[in-house]
Short mmCIF file of all heavy atoms in Angstrom, two decimals:
data_model
loop_
_atom_site.label_atom_id
_atom_site.label_comp_id
_atom_site.label_asym_id
_atom_site.label_seq_id
_atom_site.Cartn_x
_atom_site.Cartn_y
_atom_site.Cartn_z
N TYR A 212 25.37 94.24 145.11
CA TYR A 212 24.22 94.46 144.23
C TYR A 212 24.60 94.24 142.77
O TYR A 212 23.90 94.63 141.88
CB TYR A 212 23.69 95.89 144.40
CG TYR A 212 23.08 96.12 145.75
CD1 TYR A 212 23.83 96.67 146.79
CD2 TYR A 212 21.75 95.80 145.98
CE1 TYR A 212 23.27 96.88 148.03
CE2 TYR A 212 21.18 96.01 147.22
CZ TYR A 212 21.95 96.55 148.25
OH TYR A 212 21.38 96.77 149.46
N LYS A 230 21.50 104.37 149.18
CA LYS A 230 21.68 105.77 148.79
C LYS A 230 23.06 106.23 149.24
O LYS A 230 23.50 105.97 150.34
CB LYS A 230 20.61 106.64 149.44
CG LYS A 230 20.71 108.11 149.05
CD LYS A 230 19.67 108.95 149.77
CE LYS A 230 18.28 108.57 149.37
NZ LYS A 230 17.28 109.47 149.99
N ASP A 242 25.40 122.16 152.15
CA ASP A 242 24.31 121.32 152.64
C ASP A 242 23.53 120.68 151.50
O ASP A 242 22.46 120.13 151.71
CB ASP A 242 23.35 122.14 153.53
CG ASP A 242 22.79 123.34 152.79
OD1 ASP A 242 23.38 123.70 151.73
OD2 ASP A 242 21.79 123.89 153.26
N GLN A 248 21.04 106.99 143.87
CA GLN A 248 20.38 105.87 144.51
C GLN A 248 20.65 104.61 143.71
O GLN A 248 20.54 104.60 142.49
CB GLN A 248 18.87 106.13 144.58
CG GLN A 248 18.50 107.31 145.49
CD GLN A 248 17.01 107.53 145.55
OE1 GLN A 248 16.27 106.91 144.81
NE2 GLN A 248 16.59 108.40 146.44
N SER A 263 29.01 104.19 131.59
CA SER A 263 28.72 105.53 131.06
C SER A 263 28.13 106.43 132.13
O SER A 263 28.46 107.62 132.23
CB SER A 263 27.78 105.44 129.87
OG SER A 263 28.37 104.70 128.83
N ASN A 273 34.07 116.39 139.07
CA ASN A 273 35.40 116.96 138.86
C ASN A 273 35.39 118.27 138.10
O ASN A 273 36.43 118.88 137.91
CB ASN A 273 36.29 115.95 138.12
CG ASN A 273 36.51 114.70 138.92
OD1 ASN A 273 36.54 114.75 140.14
ND2 ASN A 273 36.64 113.57 138.24
N ARG A 324 14.08 138.38 82.96
CA ARG A 324 14.14 138.75 81.54
C ARG A 324 14.74 137.58 80.78
O ARG A 324 15.70 136.96 81.25
CB ARG A 324 14.98 140.00 81.31
CG ARG A 324 14.40 141.26 81.92
CD ARG A 324 15.20 142.48 81.45
NE ARG A 324 14.77 143.69 82.10
CZ ARG A 324 15.20 144.91 81.77
NH1 ARG A 324 16.11 145.05 80.79
NH2 ARG A 324 14.76 145.98 82.40
N LEU A 339 0.90 135.10 81.14
CA LEU A 339 2.14 135.88 81.08
C LEU A 339 2.62 135.95 79.65
O LEU A 339 2.54 134.97 78.90
CB LEU A 339 3.22 135.22 81.95
CG LEU A 339 3.12 135.36 83.47
CD1 LEU A 339 4.25 134.58 84.13
CD2 LEU A 339 3.18 136.82 83.89
N GLN A 361 10.71 122.58 99.63
CA GLN A 361 11.26 121.22 99.69
C GLN A 361 11.25 120.60 98.30
O GLN A 361 10.40 120.90 97.47
CB GLN A 361 10.45 120.35 100.64
CG GLN A 361 10.60 120.72 102.11
CD GLN A 361 9.83 119.79 103.02
OE1 GLN A 361 9.21 118.85 102.55
NE2 GLN A 361 9.87 120.05 104.30
N SER A 365 20.18 119.45 94.65
CA SER A 365 21.53 119.02 94.29
C SER A 365 22.40 120.26 94.18
O SER A 365 21.97 121.38 94.43
CB SER A 365 21.51 118.22 92.98
OG SER A 365 21.10 119.04 91.90
N LEU A 373 7.22 129.78 92.15
CA LEU A 373 7.15 131.15 91.63
C LEU A 373 5.71 131.65 91.67
O LEU A 373 4.83 131.09 91.01
CB LEU A 373 7.68 131.20 90.19
CG LEU A 373 9.16 130.89 90.00
CD1 LEU A 373 9.48 130.68 88.53
CD2 LEU A 373 10.01 132.01 90.57
N CYS A 384 2.58 123.43 86.57
CA CYS A 384 2.70 122.59 85.38
C CYS A 384 1.64 121.50 85.43
O CYS A 384 1.62 120.71 86.39
CB CYS A 384 4.09 121.98 85.28
SG CYS A 384 5.43 123.20 85.24
N LEU A 393 2.25 125.02 80.95
CA LEU A 393 2.45 126.02 82.00
C LEU A 393 1.19 126.86 82.16
O LEU A 393 0.58 127.27 81.17
CB LEU A 393 3.64 126.92 81.64
CG LEU A 393 4.06 127.95 82.70
CD1 LEU A 393 4.73 127.25 83.88
CD2 LEU A 393 5.04 128.96 82.08
N PRO A 400 -4.78 132.18 99.66
CA PRO A 400 -3.68 132.92 100.30
C PRO A 400 -3.44 132.54 101.75
O PRO A 400 -2.37 132.84 102.30
CB PRO A 400 -4.13 134.38 100.18
CG PRO A 400 -5.62 134.30 100.07
CD PRO A 400 -5.91 133.04 99.32
N PRO A 444 2.96 134.41 74.51
CA PRO A 444 2.85 133.88 75.88
C PRO A 444 4.08 133.10 76.33
O PRO A 444 4.79 132.49 75.51
CB PRO A 444 1.63 132.95 75.80
CG PRO A 444 0.85 133.45 74.63
CD PRO A 444 1.87 133.93 73.65
N GLU A 461 16.90 139.57 88.54
CA GLU A 461 17.30 140.77 89.29
C GLU A 461 16.47 140.87 90.55
O GLU A 461 15.23 140.84 90.49
CB GLU A 461 17.13 142.01 88.43
CG GLU A 461 17.60 143.30 89.13
CD GLU A 461 17.47 144.52 88.21
OE1 GLU A 461 17.19 144.35 87.01
OE2 GLU A 461 17.63 145.64 88.74
#
Side-chain angles (χ1 to χ4, degrees):
Y212 292 95
K230 182 183 296 185
D242 57 344
Q248 294 181 352
S263 298
N273 297 328
R324 294 189 186 188
L339 284 177
Q361 291 182 2
S365 64
L373 294 168
C384 302
L393 185 71
E461 183 177 350

